[in-house]
Amino acid sequence: MKKKSIIYSVISFIVIGFSGCNWLDVEPESSFTDDKYWQTEAHFNAFNVGLHSLIRDYSYNYFLLGEPRANLYNEVTPFGGEATQGVERLTYNTLNKENPGISNFADLYRPINQLSLMIDKTLATDLLPEIDRNYYLGQAYGLRAYLYFHLLRSWGDVVLHLHGTDGADLDFYNLSKAASPATEVLAQIKEDIKSSETAFGNDISFKQGRHYWSLPATLMLKGDVYLWSGKQMGGGASDYQTAKSALEKVQTADVALLDDFESVFAYTN
């Protein structure tokens, strides 16, 4: 009995002693929670690198939203006996509710949310040098316009999600949001392109390498968007001229046309 009393006393002493130690009252350090992130220049740079990696993860979806829906692939019979994975429905135009070819808006709202989060955090910070801050914004606005352009061409009316969330501030009782008309989606794409151009300024360089978004990439996208809106959404000659001006400006960057168009896509190039 006496031994038990001694043990209980020791335990009580330890508990009381530790509860009064200030050195235990420390904030956990982590680079993964939102309230601990966005505290240094390195955090912004790492997030930007991660964004470009994330967006490349969806490259096959970009492909499915593009060329397979044209007449370039009018013969998709497997040559090795493997299953077709339903890709032939795109070229044969036999898509239906059960076989949409691609679903959930190609999963593009995940990178869109991350891009919107990057824009919000970069606009709100004073940690970054102005030149870096503007370059990150130029990239994020340009990439968001690029993703929404894919959604616009395939679905028309889609939800505009322009502010990022890490999930902590979600209202689970009010998650539904009406899709915006295609005209508003197009207007937002053009606004993002304009914001990207403004942020980049006259920096026509490939500062982080050609595998990162840049002002020339935004200008190429602008040419594509305005050519498409000129024909498909009634923009006409005015949009065509805007596209021409954007593509002509690309020539001021360190780029050139190749003599052989096929070599643009060659794996050996």
Side-chain angles (χ1 to χ4, degrees), residues 185-220:
V185 179
L186 176 63
Q188 183 60 50
I189 291 170
K190 291 181 175 180
E191 183 63 31
D192 276 356
I193 289 173
K194 181 181 178 181
S195 296
S196 178
E197 287 185 276
T198 300
F200 277 126
N202 295 318
D203 191 349
I204 203 78
S205 69
F206 300 95
K207 185 166 67 173
Q208 296 173 291
R210 296 176 188 269
H211 46 290
Y212 282 84
W213 198 268
S214 60
L215 177 56
T218 292
L219 293 172
M220 288 295 294

PDB file of all heavy atoms in Angstrom, residues 185-220:
ATOM      1  N   VAL A 185     -17.394  33.286 -68.895  1.00  0.00           N
ATOM      2  CA  VAL A 185     -16.168  32.495 -68.780  1.00  0.00           C
ATOM      3  C   VAL A 185     -15.119  33.039 -69.747  1.00  0.00           C
ATOM      4  O   VAL A 185     -13.949  33.210 -69.385  1.00  0.00           O
ATOM      5  CB  VAL A 185     -16.452  31.006 -69.066  1.00  0.00           C
ATOM      6  CG1 VAL A 185     -15.157  30.191 -68.972  1.00  0.00           C
ATOM      7  CG2 VAL A 185     -17.487  30.465 -68.094  1.00  0.00           C
ATOM      8  N   LEU A 186     -15.537  33.336 -70.977  1.00  0.00           N
ATOM      9  CA  LEU A 186     -14.615  33.913 -71.950  1.00  0.00           C
ATOM     10  C   LEU A 186     -14.078  35.255 -71.472  1.00  0.00           C
ATOM     11  O   LEU A 186     -12.879  35.537 -71.591  1.00  0.00           O
ATOM     12  CB  LEU A 186     -15.314  34.083 -73.305  1.00  0.00           C
ATOM     13  CG  LEU A 186     -14.488  34.780 -74.398  1.00  0.00           C
ATOM     14  CD1 LEU A 186     -13.250  33.960 -74.752  1.00  0.00           C
ATOM     15  CD2 LEU A 186     -15.345  35.034 -75.636  1.00  0.00           C
ATOM     16  N   ALA A 187     -14.956  36.078 -70.914  1.00  0.00           N
ATOM     17  CA  ALA A 187     -14.528  37.388 -70.412  1.00  0.00           C
ATOM     18  C   ALA A 187     -13.494  37.227 -69.297  1.00  0.00           C
ATOM     19  O   ALA A 187     -12.513  37.992 -69.222  1.00  0.00           O
ATOM     20  CB  ALA A 187     -15.736  38.174 -69.912  1.00  0.00           C
ATOM     21  N   GLN A 188     -13.679  36.225 -68.423  1.00  0.00           N
ATOM     22  CA  GLN A 188     -12.720  35.991 -67.346  1.00  0.00           C
ATOM     23  C   GLN A 188     -11.387  35.496 -67.891  1.00  0.00           C
ATOM     24  O   GLN A 188     -10.321  35.877 -67.403  1.00  0.00           O
ATOM     25  CB  GLN A 188     -13.286  34.974 -66.352  1.00  0.00           C
ATOM     26  CG  GLN A 188     -12.377  34.726 -65.153  1.00  0.00           C
ATOM     27  CD  GLN A 188     -12.125  35.982 -64.342  1.00  0.00           C
ATOM     28  OE1 GLN A 188     -13.062  36.689 -63.987  1.00  0.00           O
ATOM     29  NE2 GLN A 188     -10.862  36.288 -64.054  1.00  0.00           N
ATOM     30  N   ILE A 189     -11.431  34.648 -68.906  1.00  0.00           N
ATOM     31  CA  ILE A 189     -10.193  34.177 -69.542  1.00  0.00           C
ATOM     32  C   ILE A 189      -9.410  35.355 -70.095  1.00  0.00           C
ATOM     33  O   ILE A 189      -8.200  35.477 -69.889  1.00  0.00           O
ATOM     34  CB  ILE A 189     -10.526  33.172 -70.659  1.00  0.00           C
ATOM     35  CG1 ILE A 189     -11.073  31.878 -70.059  1.00  0.00           C
ATOM     36  CG2 ILE A 189      -9.297  32.883 -71.511  1.00  0.00           C
ATOM     37  CD1 ILE A 189     -11.662  30.931 -71.092  1.00  0.00           C
ATOM     38  N   LYS A 190     -10.104  36.243 -70.794  1.00  0.00           N
ATOM     39  CA  LYS A 190      -9.432  37.410 -71.369  1.00  0.00           C
ATOM     40  C   LYS A 190      -8.918  38.345 -70.275  1.00  0.00           C
ATOM     41  O   LYS A 190      -7.855  38.956 -70.412  1.00  0.00           O
ATOM     42  CB  LYS A 190     -10.386  38.145 -72.316  1.00  0.00           C
ATOM     43  CG  LYS A 190     -10.699  37.349 -73.580  1.00  0.00           C
ATOM     44  CD  LYS A 190     -11.635  38.109 -74.520  1.00  0.00           C
ATOM     45  CE  LYS A 190     -11.840  37.344 -75.825  1.00  0.00           C
ATOM     46  NZ  LYS A 190     -12.744  38.052 -76.770  1.00  0.00           N
ATOM     47  N   GLU A 191      -9.652  38.434 -69.165  1.00  0.00           N
ATOM     48  CA  GLU A 191      -9.214  39.270 -68.047  1.00  0.00           C
ATOM     49  C   GLU A 191      -7.957  38.684 -67.404  1.00  0.00           C
ATOM     50  O   GLU A 191      -7.030  39.414 -67.041  1.00  0.00           O
ATOM     51  CB  GLU A 191     -10.330  39.381 -67.016  1.00  0.00           C
ATOM     52  CG  GLU A 191     -10.016  40.302 -65.835  1.00  0.00           C
ATOM     53  CD  GLU A 191      -9.801  41.746 -66.249  1.00  0.00           C
ATOM     54  OE1 GLU A 191     -10.421  42.176 -67.237  1.00  0.00           O
ATOM     55  OE2 GLU A 191      -9.016  42.443 -65.567  1.00  0.00           O
ATOM     56  N   ASP A 192      -7.920  37.359 -67.263  1.00  0.00           N
ATOM     57  CA  ASP A 192      -6.734  36.715 -66.704  1.00  0.00           C
ATOM     58  C   ASP A 192      -5.529  36.890 -67.620  1.00  0.00           C
ATOM     59  O   ASP A 192      -4.397  37.087 -67.158  1.00  0.00           O
ATOM     60  CB  ASP A 192      -7.001  35.225 -66.465  1.00  0.00           C
ATOM     61  CG  ASP A 192      -7.693  34.960 -65.130  1.00  0.00           C
ATOM     62  OD1 ASP A 192      -7.894  35.920 -64.360  1.00  0.00           O
ATOM     63  OD2 ASP A 192      -8.035  33.798 -64.865  1.00  0.00           O
ATOM     64  N   ILE A 193      -5.753  36.812 -68.913  1.00  0.00           N
ATOM     65  CA  ILE A 193      -4.663  37.036 -69.873  1.00  0.00           C
ATOM     66  C   ILE A 193      -4.134  38.457 -69.739  1.00  0.00           C
ATOM     67  O   ILE A 193      -2.914  38.698 -69.724  1.00  0.00           O
ATOM     68  CB  ILE A 193      -5.147  36.759 -71.308  1.00  0.00           C
ATOM     69  CG1 ILE A 193      -5.356  35.261 -71.510  1.00  0.00           C
ATOM     70  CG2 ILE A 193      -4.155  37.303 -72.342  1.00  0.00           C
ATOM     71  CD1 ILE A 193      -5.988  34.892 -72.835  1.00  0.00           C
ATOM     72  N   LYS A 194      -5.037  39.414 -69.629  1.00  0.00           N
ATOM     73  CA  LYS A 194      -4.637  40.812 -69.448  1.00  0.00           C
ATOM     74  C   LYS A 194      -3.851  40.991 -68.152  1.00  0.00           C
ATOM     75  O   LYS A 194      -2.818  41.690 -68.131  1.00  0.00           O
ATOM     76  CB  LYS A 194      -5.881  41.707 -69.443  1.00  0.00           C
ATOM     77  CG  LYS A 194      -5.578  43.192 -69.276  1.00  0.00           C
ATOM     78  CD  LYS A 194      -6.864  44.008 -69.269  1.00  0.00           C
ATOM     79  CE  LYS A 194      -6.586  45.495 -69.058  1.00  0.00           C
ATOM     80  NZ  LYS A 194      -7.853  46.281 -69.027  1.00  0.00           N
ATOM     81  N   SER A 195      -4.306  40.355 -67.070  1.00  0.00           N
ATOM     82  CA  SER A 195      -3.611  40.448 -65.785  1.00  0.00           C
ATOM     83  C   SER A 195      -2.230  39.813 -65.876  1.00  0.00           C
ATOM     84  O   SER A 195      -1.262  40.299 -65.270  1.00  0.00           O
ATOM     85  CB  SER A 195      -4.434  39.755 -64.687  1.00  0.00           C
ATOM     86  OG  SER A 195      -5.661  40.415 -64.481  1.00  0.00           O
ATOM     87  N   SER A 196      -2.127  38.718 -66.622  1.00  0.00           N
ATOM     88  CA  SER A 196      -0.839  38.059 -66.812  1.00  0.00           C
ATOM     89  C   SER A 196       0.127  38.971 -67.567  1.00  0.00           C
ATOM     90  O   SER A 196       1.284  39.123 -67.170  1.00  0.00           O
ATOM     91  CB  SER A 196      -1.033  36.744 -67.575  1.00  0.00           C
ATOM     92  OG  SER A 196       0.206  36.110 -67.820  1.00  0.00           O
ATOM     93  N   GLU A 197      -0.356  39.580 -68.636  1.00  0.00           N
ATOM     94  CA  GLU A 197       0.490  40.498 -69.406  1.00  0.00           C
ATOM     95  C   GLU A 197       0.955  41.671 -68.540  1.00  0.00           C
ATOM     96  O   GLU A 197       2.128  42.067 -68.587  1.00  0.00           O
ATOM     97  CB  GLU A 197      -0.281  41.027 -70.611  1.00  0.00           C
ATOM     98  CG  GLU A 197      -0.485  40.026 -71.724  1.00  0.00           C
ATOM     99  CD  GLU A 197      -1.145  40.668 -72.931  1.00  0.00           C
ATOM    100  OE1 GLU A 197      -2.389  40.760 -72.939  1.00  0.00           O
ATOM    101  OE2 GLU A 197      -0.424  41.098 -73.852  1.00  0.00           O
ATOM    102  N   THR A 198       0.041  42.235 -67.776  1.00  0.00           N
ATOM    103  CA  THR A 198       0.384  43.373 -66.922  1.00  0.00           C
ATOM    104  C   THR A 198       1.437  42.994 -65.892  1.00  0.00           C
ATOM    105  O   THR A 198       2.381  43.746 -65.639  1.00  0.00           O
ATOM    106  CB  THR A 198      -0.885  43.897 -66.203  1.00  0.00           C
ATOM    107  OG1 THR A 198      -1.845  44.303 -67.180  1.00  0.00           O
ATOM    108  CG2 THR A 198      -0.549  45.078 -65.303  1.00  0.00           C
ATOM    109  N   ALA A 199       1.282  41.812 -65.299  1.00  0.00           N
ATOM    110  CA  ALA A 199       2.229  41.372 -64.274  1.00  0.00           C
ATOM    111  C   ALA A 199       3.614  41.116 -64.869  1.00  0.00           C
ATOM    112  O   ALA A 199       4.632  41.508 -64.284  1.00  0.00           O
ATOM    113  CB  ALA A 199       1.707  40.113 -63.591  1.00  0.00           C
ATOM    114  N   PHE A 200       3.662  40.479 -66.012  1.00  0.00           N
ATOM    115  CA  PHE A 200       4.957  40.212 -66.659  1.00  0.00           C
ATOM    116  C   PHE A 200       5.625  41.502 -67.126  1.00  0.00           C
ATOM    117  O   PHE A 200       6.863  41.589 -67.166  1.00  0.00           O
ATOM    118  CB  PHE A 200       4.773  39.274 -67.851  1.00  0.00           C
ATOM    119  CG  PHE A 200       4.720  37.818 -67.503  1.00  0.00           C
ATOM    120  CD1 PHE A 200       3.657  37.035 -67.922  1.00  0.00           C
ATOM    121  CD2 PHE A 200       5.733  37.221 -66.766  1.00  0.00           C
ATOM    122  CE1 PHE A 200       3.607  35.681 -67.615  1.00  0.00           C
ATOM    123  CE2 PHE A 200       5.695  35.869 -66.452  1.00  0.00           C
ATOM    124  CZ  PHE A 200       4.627  35.097 -66.886  1.00  0.00           C
ATOM    125  N   GLY A 201       4.825  42.487 -67.492  1.00  0.00           N
ATOM    126  CA  GLY A 201       5.383  43.721 -68.017  1.00  0.00           C
ATOM    127  C   GLY A 201       6.064  43.483 -69.350  1.00  0.00           C
ATOM    128  O   GLY A 201       5.490  42.886 -70.262  1.00  0.00           O
ATOM    129  N   ASN A 202       7.314  43.915 -69.460  1.00  0.00           N
ATOM    130  CA  ASN A 202       8.081  43.717 -70.692  1.00  0.00           C
ATOM    131  C   ASN A 202       9.069  42.568 -70.584  1.00  0.00           C
ATOM    132  O   ASN A 202       9.979  42.447 -71.411  1.00  0.00           O
ATOM    133  CB  ASN A 202       8.827  45.009 -71.054  1.00  0.00           C
ATOM    134  CG  ASN A 202       7.879  46.143 -71.387  1.00  0.00           C
ATOM    135  OD1 ASN A 202       6.875  45.945 -72.086  1.00  0.00           O
ATOM    136  ND2 ASN A 202       8.169  47.340 -70.880  1.00  0.00           N
ATOM    137  N   ASP A 203       8.907  41.739 -69.558  1.00  0.00           N
ATOM    138  CA  ASP A 203       9.836  40.629 -69.350  1.00  0.00           C
ATOM    139  C   ASP A 203       9.485  39.483 -70.293  1.00  0.00           C
ATOM    140  O   ASP A 203       8.677  38.618 -69.976  1.00  0.00           O
ATOM    141  CB  ASP A 203       9.790  40.166 -67.899  1.00  0.00           C
ATOM    142  CG  ASP A 203      10.922  39.197 -67.557  1.00  0.00           C
ATOM    143  OD1 ASP A 203      11.595  38.731 -68.502  1.00  0.00           O
ATOM    144  OD2 ASP A 203      11.125  38.913 -66.366  1.00  0.00           O
ATOM    145  N   ILE A 204      10.094  39.490 -71.458  1.00  0.00           N
ATOM    146  CA  ILE A 204       9.811  38.507 -72.491  1.00  0.00           C
ATOM    147  C   ILE A 204      10.697  37.278 -72.355  1.00  0.00           C
ATOM    148  O   ILE A 204      10.656  36.365 -73.176  1.00  0.00           O
ATOM    149  CB  ILE A 204       9.988  39.160 -73.883  1.00  0.00           C
ATOM    150  CG1 ILE A 204       9.182  38.415 -74.965  1.00  0.00           C
ATOM    151  CG2 ILE A 204      11.470  39.252 -74.247  1.00  0.00           C
ATOM    152  CD1 ILE A 204       7.729  38.732 -74.938  1.00  0.00           C
ATOM    153  N   SER A 205      11.490  37.216 -71.292  1.00  0.00           N
ATOM    154  CA  SER A 205      12.479  36.141 -71.125  1.00  0.00           C
ATOM    155  C   SER A 205      11.841  34.859 -70.612  1.00  0.00           C
ATOM    156  O   SER A 205      10.707  34.851 -70.143  1.00  0.00           O
ATOM    157  CB  SER A 205      13.568  36.581 -70.154  1.00  0.00           C
ATOM    158  OG  SER A 205      13.047  36.677 -68.840  1.00  0.00           O
ATOM    159  N   PHE A 206      12.620  33.782 -70.709  1.00  0.00           N
ATOM    160  CA  PHE A 206      12.247  32.502 -70.100  1.00  0.00           C
ATOM    161  C   PHE A 206      13.088  32.369 -68.833  1.00  0.00           C
ATOM    162  O   PHE A 206      14.017  31.566 -68.761  1.00  0.00           O
ATOM    163  CB  PHE A 206      12.513  31.354 -71.061  1.00  0.00           C
ATOM    164  CG  PHE A 206      11.748  31.466 -72.356  1.00  0.00           C
ATOM    165  CD1 PHE A 206      12.325  32.045 -73.477  1.00  0.00           C
ATOM    166  CD2 PHE A 206      10.440  31.011 -72.441  1.00  0.00           C
ATOM    167  CE1 PHE A 206      11.622  32.143 -74.667  1.00  0.00           C
ATOM    168  CE2 PHE A 206       9.726  31.112 -73.628  1.00  0.00           C
ATOM    169  CZ  PHE A 206      10.309  31.690 -74.745  1.00  0.00           C
ATOM    170  N   LYS A 207      12.754  33.154 -67.835  1.00  0.00           N
ATOM    171  CA  LYS A 207      13.610  33.320 -66.663  1.00  0.00           C
ATOM    172  C   LYS A 207      13.846  32.010 -65.926  1.00  0.00           C
ATOM    173  O   LYS A 207      14.932  31.766 -65.406  1.00  0.00           O
ATOM    174  CB  LYS A 207      12.989  34.352 -65.717  1.00  0.00           C
ATOM    175  CG  LYS A 207      13.861  34.682 -64.522  1.00  0.00           C
ATOM    176  CD  LYS A 207      13.390  35.941 -63.809  1.00  0.00           C
ATOM    177  CE  LYS A 207      12.062  35.789 -63.134  1.00  0.00           C
ATOM    178  NZ  LYS A 207      11.716  36.977 -62.307  1.00  0.00           N
ATOM    179  N   GLN A 208      12.846  31.167 -65.870  1.00  0.00           N
ATOM    180  CA  GLN A 208      12.973  29.904 -65.139  1.00  0.00           C
ATOM    181  C   GLN A 208      13.140  28.707 -66.067  1.00  0.00           C
ATOM    182  O   GLN A 208      13.079  27.564 -65.634  1.00  0.00           O
ATOM    183  CB  GLN A 208      11.731  29.695 -64.257  1.00  0.00           C
ATOM    184  CG  GLN A 208      11.583  30.735 -63.163  1.00  0.00           C
ATOM    185  CD  GLN A 208      10.262  30.596 -62.436  1.00  0.00           C
ATOM    186  OE1 GLN A 208       9.204  30.870 -62.993  1.00  0.00           O
ATOM    187  NE2 GLN A 208      10.312  30.164 -61.185  1.00  0.00           N
ATOM    188  N   GLY A 209      13.343  28.988 -67.344  1.00  0.00           N
ATOM    189  CA  GLY A 209      13.442  27.915 -68.331  1.00  0.00           C
ATOM    190  C   GLY A 209      12.174  27.808 -69.156  1.00  0.00           C
ATOM    191  O   GLY A 209      11.112  28.285 -68.751  1.00  0.00           O
ATOM    192  N   ARG A 210      12.267  27.180 -70.291  1.00  0.00           N
ATOM    193  CA  ARG A 210      11.124  27.096 -71.202  1.00  0.00           C
ATOM    194  C   ARG A 210      10.036  26.154 -70.713  1.00  0.00           C
ATOM    195  O   ARG A 210       8.952  26.101 -71.286  1.00  0.00           O
ATOM    196  CB  ARG A 210      11.601  26.671 -72.597  1.00  0.00           C
ATOM    197  CG  ARG A 210      12.510  27.691 -73.244  1.00  0.00           C
ATOM    198  CD  ARG A 210      13.042  27.205 -74.577  1.00  0.00           C
ATOM    199  NE  ARG A 210      14.052  28.120 -75.086  1.00  0.00           N
ATOM    200  CZ  ARG A 210      13.784  29.157 -75.883  1.00  0.00           C
ATOM    201  NH1 ARG A 210      12.540  29.408 -76.239  1.00  0.00           N
ATOM    202  NH2 ARG A 210      14.758  29.941 -76.305  1.00  0.00           N
ATOM    203  N   HIS A 211      10.331  25.363 -69.680  1.00  0.00           N
ATOM    204  CA  HIS A 211       9.330  24.444 -69.152  1.00  0.00           C
ATOM    205  C   HIS A 211       8.452  25.119 -68.095  1.00  0.00           C
ATOM    206  O   HIS A 211       7.594  24.469 -67.496  1.00  0.00           O
ATOM    207  CB  HIS A 211       9.995  23.194 -68.569  1.00  0.00           C
ATOM    208  CG  HIS A 211      11.163  23.485 -67.690  1.00  0.00           C
ATOM    209  ND1 HIS A 211      12.358  23.969 -68.176  1.00  0.00           N
ATOM    210  CD2 HIS A 211      11.336  23.355 -66.352  1.00  0.00           C
ATOM    211  CE1 HIS A 211      13.210  24.134 -67.182  1.00  0.00           C
ATOM    212  NE2 HIS A 211      12.608  23.776 -66.067  1.00  0.00           N
ATOM    213  N   TYR A 212       8.656  26.415 -67.850  1.00  0.00           N
ATOM    214  CA  TYR A 212       7.791  27.194 -66.968  1.00  0.00           C
ATOM    215  C   TYR A 212       6.986  28.192 -67.813  1.00  0.00           C
ATOM    216  O   TYR A 212       7.419  28.612 -68.881  1.00  0.00           O
ATOM    217  CB  TYR A 212       8.611  27.962 -65.934  1.00  0.00           C
ATOM    218  CG  TYR A 212       9.114  27.124 -64.785  1.00  0.00           C
ATOM    219  CD1 TYR A 212      10.284  26.384 -64.891  1.00  0.00           C
ATOM    220  CD2 TYR A 212       8.410  27.061 -63.580  1.00  0.00           C
ATOM    221  CE1 TYR A 212      10.747  25.604 -63.841  1.00  0.00           C
ATOM    222  CE2 TYR A 212       8.863  26.293 -62.520  1.00  0.00           C
ATOM    223  CZ  TYR A 212      10.029  25.571 -62.662  1.00  0.00           C
ATOM    224  OH  TYR A 212      10.476  24.789 -61.618  1.00  0.00           O
ATOM    225  N   TRP A 213       5.836  28.571 -67.287  1.00  0.00           N
ATOM    226  CA  TRP A 213       5.010  29.563 -67.991  1.00  0.00           C
ATOM    227  C   TRP A 213       5.751  30.892 -68.057  1.00  0.00           C
ATOM    228  O   TRP A 213       6.522  31.240 -67.164  1.00  0.00           O
ATOM    229  CB  TRP A 213       3.674  29.736 -67.281  1.00  0.00           C
ATOM    230  CG  TRP A 213       2.633  30.396 -68.151  1.00  0.00           C
ATOM    231  CD1 TRP A 213       2.362  31.727 -68.226  1.00  0.00           C
ATOM    232  CD2 TRP A 213       1.754  29.753 -69.081  1.00  0.00           C
ATOM    233  NE1 TRP A 213       1.361  31.962 -69.135  1.00  0.00           N
ATOM    234  CE2 TRP A 213       0.971  30.763 -69.680  1.00  0.00           C
ATOM    235  CE3 TRP A 213       1.556  28.435 -69.459  1.00  0.00           C
ATOM    236  CZ2 TRP A 213       0.001  30.490 -70.635  1.00  0.00           C
ATOM    237  CZ3 TRP A 213       0.574  28.149 -70.410  1.00  0.00           C
ATOM    238  CH2 TRP A 213      -0.187  29.165 -70.988  1.00  0.00           C
ATOM    239  N   SER A 214       5.490  31.642 -69.122  1.00  0.00           N
ATOM    240  CA  SER A 214       6.209  32.894 -69.370  1.00  0.00           C
ATOM    241  C   SER A 214       5.312  33.848 -70.144  1.00  0.00           C
ATOM    242  O   SER A 214       4.205  33.482 -70.562  1.00  0.00           O
ATOM    243  CB  SER A 214       7.482  32.614 -70.182  1.00  0.00           C
ATOM    244  OG  SER A 214       7.130  32.020 -71.434  1.00  0.00           O
ATOM    245  N   LEU A 215       5.795  35.069 -70.365  1.00  0.00           N
ATOM    246  CA  LEU A 215       5.037  36.024 -71.177  1.00  0.00           C
ATOM    247  C   LEU A 215       4.836  35.515 -72.602  1.00  0.00           C
ATOM    248  O   LEU A 215       3.721  35.635 -73.139  1.00  0.00           O
ATOM    249  CB  LEU A 215       5.717  37.391 -71.175  1.00  0.00           C
ATOM    250  CG  LEU A 215       5.055  38.470 -72.041  1.00  0.00           C
ATOM    251  CD1 LEU A 215       3.586  38.672 -71.665  1.00  0.00           C
ATOM    252  CD2 LEU A 215       5.818  39.793 -71.934  1.00  0.00           C
ATOM    253  N   PRO A 216       5.853  34.925 -73.265  1.00  0.00           N
ATOM    254  CA  PRO A 216       5.583  34.357 -74.590  1.00  0.00           C
ATOM    255  C   PRO A 216       4.479  33.306 -74.570  1.00  0.00           C
ATOM    256  O   PRO A 216       3.680  33.220 -75.509  1.00  0.00           O
ATOM    257  CB  PRO A 216       6.934  33.738 -74.981  1.00  0.00           C
ATOM    258  CG  PRO A 216       7.942  34.566 -74.263  1.00  0.00           C
ATOM    259  CD  PRO A 216       7.303  34.901 -72.943  1.00  0.00           C
ATOM    260  N   ALA A 217       4.404  32.507 -73.488  1.00  0.00           N
ATOM    261  CA  ALA A 217       3.335  31.510 -73.388  1.00  0.00           C
ATOM    262  C   ALA A 217       1.971  32.195 -73.281  1.00  0.00           C
ATOM    263  O   ALA A 217       0.991  31.760 -73.904  1.00  0.00           O
ATOM    264  CB  ALA A 217       3.565  30.612 -72.174  1.00  0.00           C
ATOM    265  N   THR A 218       1.896  33.262 -72.494  1.00  0.00           N
ATOM    266  CA  THR A 218       0.641  34.008 -72.375  1.00  0.00           C
ATOM    267  C   THR A 218       0.229  34.602 -73.722  1.00  0.00           C
ATOM    268  O   THR A 218      -0.954  34.576 -74.087  1.00  0.00           O
ATOM    269  CB  THR A 218       0.777  35.128 -71.323  1.00  0.00           C
ATOM    270  OG1 THR A 218       0.915  34.547 -70.021  1.00  0.00           O
ATOM    271  CG2 THR A 218      -0.444  36.038 -71.314  1.00  0.00           C
ATOM    272  N   LEU A 219       1.196  35.116 -74.461  1.00  0.00           N
ATOM    273  CA  LEU A 219       0.891  35.710 -75.762  1.00  0.00           C
ATOM    274  C   LEU A 219       0.430  34.654 -76.769  1.00  0.00           C
ATOM    275  O   LEU A 219      -0.469  34.910 -77.577  1.00  0.00           O
ATOM    276  CB  LEU A 219       2.117  36.450 -76.293  1.00  0.00           C
ATOM    277  CG  LEU A 219       2.520  37.704 -75.498  1.00  0.00           C
ATOM    278  CD1 LEU A 219       3.861  38.240 -75.988  1.00  0.00           C
ATOM    279  CD2 LEU A 219       1.443  38.785 -75.609  1.00  0.00           C
ATOM    280  N   MET A 220       1.041  33.468 -76.716  1.00  0.00           N
ATOM    281  CA  MET A 220       0.585  32.382 -77.587  1.00  0.00           C
ATOM    282  C   MET A 220      -0.847  31.989 -77.231  1.00  0.00           C
ATOM    283  O   MET A 220      -1.683  31.759 -78.118  1.00  0.00           O
ATOM    284  CB  MET A 220       1.517  31.183 -77.452  1.00  0.00           C
ATOM    285  CG  MET A 220       2.883  31.365 -78.095  1.00  0.00           C
ATOM    286  SD  MET A 220       2.808  31.550 -79.895  1.00  0.00           S
ATOM    287  CE  MET A 220       2.228  29.929 -80.384  1.00  0.00           C
TER     288      MET A 220
END
